[in-house]
């Protein structure tokens, strides 16, 4: 009985603890965790992986040998004791087509090259998805920081309005001056609302890219925008792009596929004989024989497929050159954007942000002590808001530029 009463007393506490655990927010995700989650849950990536397996199954078909064919026939077969037509005649045989020109080996080469090409295309899709996730992740970090700054600015300015209210009540300032100060509060409130909306939209976009079917309201990420810029050289980045980019590999593998197609076209132009072994039974006689069929390739020697395959091969070689050139151009453009973003972020970090904060604090102190004008104070306040947001934007642009470099070289540049 005591155990039952204890259970009844503990049940509400257990239920409350369980509800609290259910309502607790999920731990914030890092960028590597978000990428790993997407690799396991993004339906497009999972679909591409299944497609690779489907293409790989074609290697089994390509490696199959020709099946033998069993033939049989009977003639002058009479059902009954007497056979006025003569002895029964039966035949049975096995025939098989023998491929020449190493057709099976070339088919296997073509199937394996096609599998490698398809897998490189899958990796390229993953590269594009990773880049989109990194962009969305950075935008969410930016939205979080922008919301924090907006809320800090709003809180700080509300304190200023409260202090100005005290001065107004004491008769130390006019109603018009107070109204002008209070009207600035609308801008801070609008900044906060817009930042909160941007954060919600960035969260939804990131979760969608990760493969989350229904975005969660408590989804959060963790990271820093002001990451140290790595030391990079243009030549190293170019070489990495040529060595690792999956679209460059896919273009190279397309050449291998077309080379195998050329070999297969020539192999299909060779003659394949069909050999048959035959057994015959006629009355009391049993005989054996064979049959050999050799097609005469007088007119059709697969000339059209040979020409088509050769032109496709030359086309893929030119496409490979174009892809390599595009990879170099992507690296050059991304490197220029990275250098520009790095310089802009450094200017705000090392100079303009501290300068705007110092000017705002000095003019606020001067105005509160009757040594500055309201117009100067409001202008400094507006400048600080603008510079603060521009500094965050510069940091976000720098991180996006690094992600772009990672994308065009298919390497992880950020630690």
């Amino acid at each position: 009985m005591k155990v039952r009463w204890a259970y009844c007393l503990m049940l509400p506490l257990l239920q409350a603890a369980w509800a609290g655990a259910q309502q607790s927010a999920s731990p914030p995700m890092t960028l590597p965790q978000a990428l790993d989650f997407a690799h396991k849950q993004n339906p497009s990536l999972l679909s591409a992986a299944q497609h690779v397996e489907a293409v790989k199954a074609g290697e089994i078909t390509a490696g199959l040998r020709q099946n033998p064919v069993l033939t049989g026939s009977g003639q002058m077969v009479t059902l009954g004791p007497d056979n006025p037509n003569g002895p029964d005649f039966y035949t049975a045989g096995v025939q098989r087509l023998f491929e020449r020109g190493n057709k099976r080996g070339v088919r296997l080469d073509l199937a394996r090259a096609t599998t490698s090409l398809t897998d490189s295309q899958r990796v390229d899709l993953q590269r594009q998805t990773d880049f989109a996730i990194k962009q969305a992740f950075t935008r969410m970090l930016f939205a979080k920081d922008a919301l924090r700054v907006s809320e800090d600015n709003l809180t700080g300015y509300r304190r200023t309005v409260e202090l100005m209210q005290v001065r107004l009540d004491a008769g130390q300032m006019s109603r018009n001056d107070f109204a002008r100060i209070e009207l600035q509060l609308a801008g801070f409130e609008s900044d906060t609302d817009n930042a909160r909306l941007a954060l919600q939209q960035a969260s939804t976009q990131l979760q969608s890219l990760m493969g989350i079917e229904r975005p969660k309201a408590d989804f959060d990420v963790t990271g820093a925008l002001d990451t140290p810029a790595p030391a990079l050289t243009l030549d190293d980045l170019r070489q990495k792009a040529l060595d690792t980019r999956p679209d460059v590999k896919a273009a190279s593998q397309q050449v291998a596929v077309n080379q195998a197609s050329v070999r297969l076209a020539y192999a299909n132009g060779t003659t394949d004989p069909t050999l048959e072994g035959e057994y015959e039974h006629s009355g009391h006689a049993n005989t054996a024989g064979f049959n050999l069929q050799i097609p005469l390739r007088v007119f059709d020697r697969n000339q059209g497929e040979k020409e088509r395959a050769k032109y496709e091969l030359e086309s893929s070689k030119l496409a490979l050159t174009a892809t390599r050139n595009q990879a170099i151009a992507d690296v050059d453009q991304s490197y220029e954007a990275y250098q520009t973003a790095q310089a802009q972020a450094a200017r705000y970090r090392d100079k303009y942000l501290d300068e705007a904060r110092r000017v705002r604090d000095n003019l606020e102190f001067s105005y509160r002590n009757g040594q500055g004008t309201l117009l100067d104070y409001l202008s400094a306040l507006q400048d600080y808001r603008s510079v603060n947001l521009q500094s965050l934007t510069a940091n976000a642009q720098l991180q996006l530029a690094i992600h772009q470099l990672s994308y065009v070289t298919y390497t992880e540049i950020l630690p």
Side-chain angles (χ1 to χ4, degrees), residues 6-49:
Y7 174 77
C8 293
L9 292 174
M10 290 295 296
L11 182 59
L13 297 177
L14 293 173
Q15 291 176 339
W18 173 256
Q22 291 294 101
Q23 296 176 358
S24 62
S26 303
M29 270 194 174
T30 63
L31 179 56
Q33 290 174 335
L35 291 172
D36 183 65
F37 185 95
H39 295 166
K40 298 176 181 177
Q41 298 294 329
N42 184 285
S44 297
L45 297 181
L46 297 179
S47 174

Side-chain angles (χ1 to χ4, degrees), residues 267-338:
N268 286 335
T270 60
T271 299
D272 296 331
T274 301
L275 179 63
E276 178 181 8
E278 187 177 69
Y279 163 76
E280 296 179 354
H281 171 79
S282 179
H284 299 289
N286 298 293
T287 60
F290 71 91
N291 182 29
L292 177 64
Q293 297 179 14
I294 301 177
L296 300 178
R297 308 292 297 264
V298 178
F299 303 107
D300 178 11
R301 297 185 300 277
N302 209 33
Q303 302 94 318
E305 280 301 303
K306 293 176 183 177
E307 289 297 310
R308 184 199 63 79
K310 286 192 293 185
Y311 283 117
E312 289 290 350
L313 176 58
E314 293 303 317
S315 174
S316 62
K317 289 180 179 178
L318 294 173
L320 173 59
T321 301
T323 303
R324 292 173 62 88
N325 292 343
Q326 184 61 52
I328 296 298
D330 290 344
V331 171
D332 290 350
Q333 294 175 6
S334 300
Y335 187 72
E336 292 172 0
Y338 162 72

